[in-house]
Amino acid sequence: MPKLDAKLILKQISDGKLSPVYWIYGPETFKIRELTDRLRKAVDTQSTAFQAGSTTFIGSSISAAYLVDEAQSMSLGGGTRFIIVRDADQM
């Protein structure tokens, strides 16, 4: 997974070429929240099926195996899954 900064992620969103995984990190929680919201909106507009929303996990309370199982499971309404893991470095 390439190291991306905020400008590259915003360019990908505007081009409509989204990656399956983004690792957004840093001390600025406002920028992280803004990027997450923009990614969520981009996924919502690209998905033609019902969007059930996002699922948020805390890295210290789940295991990597559980996260992989959750990512591979299908959503009930179809569409694209949007999973957010906060503090993923603590997994």
Side-chain angles (χ1 to χ4, degrees):
M1 179 171 45
K3 185 176 177 182
L4 299 174
D5 65 344
K7 291 179 184 178
L8 290 175
I9 294 173
L10 290 173
K11 184 176 181 329
Q12 284 184 353
I13 292 171
S14 66
D15 292 344
K17 298 179 182 178
L18 300 177
S19 298
V21 175
Y22 287 96
W23 185 277
I24 304 170
Y25 61 92
E28 299 173 3
T29 56
F30 179 75
K31 283 188 178 183
I32 292 172
R33 191 173 30 227
E34 280 290 315
L35 278 174
T36 305
D37 289 341
R38 287 189 184 200
L39 283 169
R40 183 181 293 121
K41 288 177 186 175
V43 168
D44 284 345
T45 58
Q46 285 186 355
S47 178
T48 57
F50 171 74
Q51 182 67 24
S54 62
T55 308
T56 303
F57 297 107
I58 307 298
S60 61
S61 64
I62 63 167
S63 66
Y66 181 79
L67 182 63
V68 169
D69 287 343
E70 186 69 26
Q72 290 178 345
S73 66
M74 297 182 65
S75 61
L76 292 175
T80 305
R81 302 278 318 256
F82 193 81
I83 299 173
I84 300 169
V85 181
R86 299 200 181 274
D87 301 325
D89 59 328
Q90 297 177 3
M91 264 196 298

